[in-house]
Amino acid sequence: MINKESNMAIEYVKEGGVSKYKVLDFHAHMGNLVNAYMPFGSPEKMLYLMDRSNVRCALFSSHHDLTVGNRFILDEIEICKKHPGRFKLYMTVFSRHCDFKEDIKIFEKYREHFVGFKLHPSYSGIMPDHSLNRPYLEYADAHGLLVLGHTWSGLETPYENVLKKYKNLKLIGGHCFYDNWRFTANLALNYENFYPELTAVLFKRGALEEMVSICGANKILFGCDMPWFSYTYYIGALLSAEITDQQREDILWNNGYVLLKDQVRDL
Ligand SMILES: [Zn+2]
């Protein structure tokens, strides 16, 4: 067993991969991806995985929204309504195919089901700092919303440009500019409104420790691209990392709770 000194790790192994610690998931998806079948992509199956790992709420953008725009967003809002407090939506900014006015009408009408926006330059082909994203980023900045960005190495400059311009939105760096950990940690140090998120990061042993050594653990958020990857593995990898149990609890829940508590009342 790894981390024999960690009470959390000992308990996790004893219980067969079940953690009593609450989890907030900042990076999930829902539904099938174009023609690919996602065995755990339905809301019910996602809830099954969430319940097994004590994940209280998953913040998601659907595969539909990422690939064809927001034409199914009302269905997703219905899913959020049906499971109060369990799912919250990032509205996807599908850049060149977006209608900002229509999107914001929906966003405001169903405000309690949204936490902010999702940028995915690898799907949309539009860089984060492109003028097509501007109305959404300005809106997010005016309202202090979350913006989850798909970040990967090569996308450092366009995302830093967003941070230079917008000081009030909260930019979550999904994948931590894989595998530019040092840059990510320094961004978290230098910009108050930047938060590293762990999807894909925990595949690499030592990556989390490297970031924590630079920026501490108080801004790092948990996520794993569920249902692509499993909570059991990711939580296990977090428990195997060479950080303190307090830092693990902060990453799993406390850091995220601080970000969400003012806008998500049903956590
Ligand atoms: Zn993702």
Side-chain angles (χ1 to χ4, degrees):
M1 183 190 148
I2 298 167
N3 264 353
K4 288 180 183 156
E5 306 299 313
S6 159
N7 288 331
M8 287 175 81
I10 291 165
E11 285 164 9
Y12 194 67
V13 171
K14 209 188 327 172
E15 298 298 325
V18 178
S19 162
K20 68 178 187 192
Y21 297 92
K22 292 186 291 184
V23 179
L24 276 170
D25 177 2
F26 276 79
H27 188 157
H29 299 290
M30 188 179 280
N32 290 328
L33 175 66
V34 196
N35 290 324
Y37 170 58
M38 302 293 290
F40 282 85
S42 70
E44 291 72 24
K45 294 240 177 99
M46 289 173 76
L47 281 167
Y48 166 77
L49 295 180
M50 289 161 68
D51 288 342
R52 277 176 31 138
S53 291
N54 210 358
V55 179
R56 301 296 173 90
C57 183
L59 280 47
F60 76 101
S61 54
S62 83
H63 290 119
H64 285 319
D65 301 350
L66 289 169
T67 49
V68 296
N70 292 329
R71 67 185 67 173
F72 297 105
I73 199 129
L74 294 178
D75 297 343
E76 291 145 19
I77 289 165
E78 288 306 311
I79 290 164
C80 295
K81 280 187 196 168
K82 195 174 159 193
H83 305 286
R86 305 305 306 278
F87 295 114
K88 297 288 168 186
L89 267 163
Y90 295 105
M91 177 176 270
T92 297
V93 181
F94 201 53
S95 305
R96 72 183 93 212
H97 303 290
C98 284
D99 182 331
F100 174 70
K101 280 191 184 152
E102 283 305 309
D103 278 347
I104 292 305
K105 247 194 253 171
I106 294 171
F107 192 95
E108 291 184 344
K109 185 169 178 191
Y110 301 103
R111 178 66 187 88
E112 71 268 31
H113 302 297
F114 289 102
V115 288
F117 302 115
K118 164 91 180 190
L119 301 180
H120 201 310
S122 304
Y123 276 133
S124 67
I126 300 296
M127 286 298 112
D129 57 347
H130 193 285
S131 59
L132 282 169
N133 291 332
R134 191 183 302 144
Y136 292 89
L137 294 175
E138 284 175 354
Y139 186 91
D141 202 51
H143 296 86
L145 301 177
L146 308 188
V147 176
L148 171 60
H150 170 92
T151 74
W152 212 260
S153 69
L155 294 169
E156 290 86 347
T157 302
Y159 275 113
E160 188 163 9
N161 288 342
V162 169
L163 288 167
K164 281 179 185 161
K165 192 163 173 191
Y166 302 103
K167 302 294 178 192
N168 193 41
L169 57 73
K170 294 168 178 70
L171 180 63
I172 300 173
H175 310 296
C176 293
F177 294 90
Y178 194 98
D179 52 1
N180 205 344
W181 321 126
R182 191 160 283 273
F183 173 83
T184 304
N186 280 311
L187 217 53
L189 260 190
N190 296 332
Y191 294 91
E192 203 180 314
N193 57 336
F194 177 75
Y195 301 83
E197 182 278 325
L198 292 180
T199 295
V201 176
L202 293 166
F203 294 157
K204 281 235 171 161
R205 284 204 73 110
L208 175 62
E209 289 88 333
E210 186 178 351
M211 291 200 300
V212 168
S213 75
I214 296 169
C215 68
N218 284 333
K219 293 178 82 183
I220 297 176
L221 303 172
F222 182 81
C224 73
D225 253 349
M226 197 267 288
W228 285 82
F229 305 110
S230 106
Y231 290 127
T232 311
Y233 170 81
Y234 263 83
I235 293 172
L238 185 69
L239 296 177
S240 304
E242 290 179 19
I243 58 174
T244 67
D245 278 359
Q246 182 60 54
Q247 288 172 324
R248 297 182 225 284
E249 278 194 71
D250 289 345
I251 291 169
L252 287 172
W253 179 267
N254 298 334
N255 299 343
Y257 183 76
V258 170
L259 268 188
L260 291 179
K261 67 179 179 352
D262 293 334
Q263 64 164 330
V264 180
R265 302 249 151 72
D266 45 6
L267 277 181

